[in-house]
Amino acid sequence: MHEETTVTEPKFRIRARHTQTTVTVYQAYHPRIGGPAARTGRFPSAWKRDRMTWIKPSFLWMMYRCGWGTKEGQETVLAVDISREGFEWALRHACLSHYVPALHPGQAAWKRELARSPARVQWDPERDLHLNPLPHRSLQLGLAGEAAARYADEWIVGIEDVTPLATEIHALVRSGREDRAGELLPVEPPYPVADEVLAHLPA
């Protein structure tokens, strides 16, 4: 099951539903944004390009963030298929969202890198079906400026409203049917990415 962890699971690894050409990430929005996005495959004009947008390859981390689609302003859960080329462009042009003394020569240098990077990465504990933290981490990728524009205009292949799936899985978990809930989870195997793509993004 998705929520199980083993000793072989590395602490930091990208896991995502993906094909040879696309990777699926999740976001949650107010219905006035999420609804039109799912219907048209593009974000509506109400989607703010000047704000950082966070994409999450982990379905369960998205459920943790949006409360299974119950939090205000996050009632519509979207599965966004984007090109792997775009996803990896963002990783190559990202910096860590927090200061790491062993990686950065100083806080000032890290802040300069943060200011000029169109994307940022943070690694947060993965979640189980009860949204409890697991020992290994899940990638969160923040997009701003050029990265946000490329995401909206170039990388998106398709958008699906998966709110009904979130609601169904949540109901199963609440009724104690974890086995069935686990069977419905999107399968998120390790995402194949070259070591050099993540070399500048250790936690």
Side-chain angles (χ1 to χ4, degrees):
M1 286 175 56
H2 181 103
E3 74 277 17
E4 292 179 352
T5 184
T6 69
V7 294
T8 59
E9 180 64 38
K11 188 173 182 180
F12 303 102
R13 179 162 68 178
I14 299 175
R15 292 168 300 277
R17 177 180 156 194
H18 61 273
T19 69
Q20 290 187 335
T21 58
T22 65
V23 57
T24 301
V25 296
Y26 297 94
Q27 296 193 288
Y29 287 102
H30 190 284
R32 68 171 176 267
I33 293 178
R39 287 193 298 271
T40 66
R42 287 289 180 268
F43 288 112
S45 58
W47 191 79
K48 302 298 184 183
R49 292 169 175 270
D50 57 349
R51 295 178 58 184
M52 176 163 288
T53 188
W54 287 88
I55 58 177
K56 306 159 183 67
S58 167
F59 179 83
L60 282 175
W61 206 94
M62 185 71 260
M63 296 306 98
Y64 166 72
R65 181 68 179 84
C66 71
W68 298 99
T70 64
K71 290 185 179 180
E72 184 177 359
Q74 300 185 61
E75 299 92 342
T76 302
V77 183
L78 302 177
V80 185
D81 291 333
I82 63 174
S83 70
R84 285 174 58 162
E85 181 181 6
F87 181 65
E88 294 179 22
W89 183 96
L91 292 174
R92 292 177 188 276
H93 291 81
C95 72
L96 286 176
S97 63
H98 60 283
Y99 170 62
V100 178
L103 181 65
H104 305 108
Q107 283 201 349
W110 165 71
K111 288 180 179 179
R112 286 193 297 270
E113 183 182 357
L114 194 67
R116 66 172 177 262
S117 297
R120 61 190 59 175
V121 159
Q122 62 186 50
W123 298 93
D124 296 304
E126 181 59 284
R127 301 285 159 166
D128 64 15
L129 275 169
H130 295 279
L131 306 185
N132 298 312
L134 293 172
H136 53 281
R137 299 291 177 122
S138 175
L139 175 83
Q140 320 303 323
L141 184 57
L143 309 175
E146 181 184 1
R150 285 174 176 255
Y151 172 62
D153 298 333
E154 301 175 16
W155 301 346
I156 293 176
V157 176
I159 302 177
E160 179 185 1
D161 182 349
V162 292
T163 312
L165 176 64
T167 301
E168 182 178 5
I169 295 175
H170 187 206
L172 289 168
V173 172
R174 293 178 66 185
S175 65
R177 300 176 63 191
E178 288 91 350
D179 288 348
R180 176 58 180 152
E183 291 172 357
L184 295 180
L185 286 174
V187 178
E188 295 167 359
Y191 180 82
V193 63
D195 290 342
E196 55 91 10
V197 175
L198 296 178
H200 64 301
L201 299 170

